[in-house]
Amino acid sequence: MEFTNVKLEVANRVAYISIDVPPANTLSSATLSGLSDAFHYAGNNEEIKVIVVTGAGKFFVAGADIKEFTGAFDNPEKAEQMARTGQRLFDRIENFQKPVIAAINGAALGGGLELAMACHMRFAAEDAKLGLPELNLGLIPGFGGTQRLARLTNKAKALELILTSQFIDGKEAERIGLVNRAVPLASLMDEVKKFAEFIALQKSAISIRAALTAVTYGLCTGPESGMEKEAKLFGELFVSDDMKEGVNAFIEKRKAQFTDK
């Protein structure tokens, strides 16, 4: 299935969304629109339980389409709207009700790293380059990068990477907690596929959704509100068909057969 500059394939209840804009997979307005459409499809398809985002070719996403910036010169309102468009999409991904995994197969720079940081989890090739070089253009990250990098690492490290425009590789990104795992490029998609299918084929969709909601809600509102949300969701799941199946399977020493209800 194809959207504007984006391809989507489904296998074993996992949707693989691939940004395909040769040569560097830049995030133009058209690509952001295609990405939004792909997520709309994945969100509404009940057969899809996990989403993987990656880039076609040698790049993940090299950044925004700089050529589009020239149309916003001397127009701060237009530039602000450009930023808000990206922020809305990436906020939607961060709050998506199905797990979203970034498979960073190559350079993830600027808007590309911001997209990866909006995903729930990140796997990277060991030699992939990650960075936020916007200060080289006299700008700052505009699609949520200043906020998410500080949350995923820490304030000092985020400022270091943003203010220096330094690139780091996948290994360093794993060391500072920016990505979950860094693996050789040749095995990246196999590792991501194995991880995504484990969740998609062995876990209940309703408990997956509840876990995502609880974690994200708590990070946005604070621990006390997060605990309240966790307890409420726990109670709702307690009377679900999948909870009953999971408990019975545990007692009977067999694998649970969840129906996502």
Side-chain angles (χ1 to χ4, degrees):
M1 184 171 296
E2 294 192 11
F3 303 91
T4 305
N5 297 338
V6 174
K7 296 179 180 178
L8 185 151
E9 299 178 354
V10 180
N12 291 326
R13 309 200 70 177
V14 178
Y16 296 88
I17 295 176
S18 179
I19 299 168
D20 189 6
V21 191
N25 299 333
T26 51
L27 285 179
S28 64
S29 298
T31 304
L32 289 173
S33 178
L35 195 57
S36 178
D37 291 341
F39 270 93
H40 180 76
Y41 174 84
N44 288 317
N45 187 327
E46 293 184 358
E47 289 301 308
I48 295 172
K49 291 176 66 174
V50 180
I51 295 94
V52 172
V53 180
T54 192
K58 296 182 178 181
F59 289 83
F60 179 71
V61 172
D65 187 346
I66 305 301
K67 293 179 182 178
E68 290 189 347
F69 287 11
T70 59
F73 284 169
D74 301 322
N75 191 329
E77 292 79 14
K78 187 173 181 180
E80 180 179 343
Q81 184 57 43
M82 185 188 305
R84 292 193 183 279
T85 297
Q87 287 178 354
R88 281 194 295 270
L89 174 57
F90 292 178
D91 284 350
R92 184 172 147 213
I93 293 172
E94 184 174 46
N95 290 284
F96 213 63
Q97 294 292 285
K98 301 177 182 182
V100 184
I101 305 165
I104 305 171
N105 55 305
L109 307 175
L113 181 54
E114 290 175 300
L115 168 59
M117 290 192 293
C119 298
H120 299 125
M121 291 160 282
R122 287 154 293 281
F123 285 56
E126 291 176 337
D127 59 353
K129 298 301 179 187
L130 295 81
L132 296 173
E134 284 85 352
L135 263 71
N136 288 337
L137 301 175
L139 289 170
I140 62 171
F143 289 175
T146 61
Q147 306 305 302
R148 291 192 176 95
L149 184 58
R151 291 208 313 262
L152 291 170
T153 58
N154 57 62
K155 178 182 176 181
K157 178 56 70 171
L159 285 171
E160 175 188 338
L161 293 176
I162 292 170
L163 295 179
T164 64
S165 303
Q166 176 187 357
F167 295 169
I168 59 175
D169 62 20
K171 289 181 179 179
E172 176 65 8
E174 180 183 29
R175 189 189 71 80
I176 65 174
L178 182 53
V179 304
N180 296 69
R181 299 182 198 173
V183 299
L185 176 60
S187 61
L188 175 65
M189 291 311 297
D190 286 339
E191 289 287 328
V192 172
K193 178 182 176 182
K194 185 189 306 180
F195 183 79
E197 289 186 355
F198 177 81
I199 297 171
L201 300 178
Q202 298 194 38
K203 307 299 178 184
S204 163
I206 59 172
S207 57
I208 290 171
R209 183 168 58 247
L212 291 171
T213 299
V215 171
T216 302
Y217 186 88
L219 286 172
C220 291
T221 63
E224 184 174 348
S225 295
M227 291 291 191
E228 291 181 8
K229 175 64 77 172
E230 179 184 271
K232 186 176 188 303
L233 293 167
F234 181 87
E236 292 173 356
L237 290 171
F238 211 80
V239 295
S240 69
D241 291 344
D242 279 351
M243 183 275 183
K244 295 170 186 175
E245 165 61 13
V247 170
N248 288 332
F250 177 82
I251 293 172
E252 297 165 8
K253 295 181 170 49
R254 61 174 174 82
K255 184 177 178 181
Q257 299 295 321
F258 294 123
T259 59
D260 300 330
K261 296 179 181 178

